[in-house]
Amino acid sequence: MSNVPNNNPSTPDTTAAVNTATGKLALGWALVGVPLAYGVYETLTRVAALFS
């Protein structure tokens, strides 16, 4: 695939769609990953307290 700009108006430029999809994917992972990481951290600290 070449890096030549798309000068043909009949074929759509998918750069904006890819950037939007990447942003939504990152937001989705953040919405799931941050609470998951917090839950794992809390679990590990409570387990450590239980066995110490």
Side-chain angles (χ1 to χ4, degrees):
M1 194 153 182
S2 67
N3 290 332
V4 177
N6 184 5
N7 291 330
N8 187 351
S10 65
T11 58
D13 184 19
T14 58
T15 304
V18 170
N19 291 338
T20 303
T22 304
K24 286 182 180 179
L25 182 64
L27 179 63
W29 274 105
L31 287 174
V32 172
V34 170
L36 177 65
Y38 177 72
V40 169
Y41 171 76
E42 285 293 320
T43 301
L44 292 177
T45 55
R46 290 181 186 193
V47 166
L50 183 64
F51 287 108
S52 60

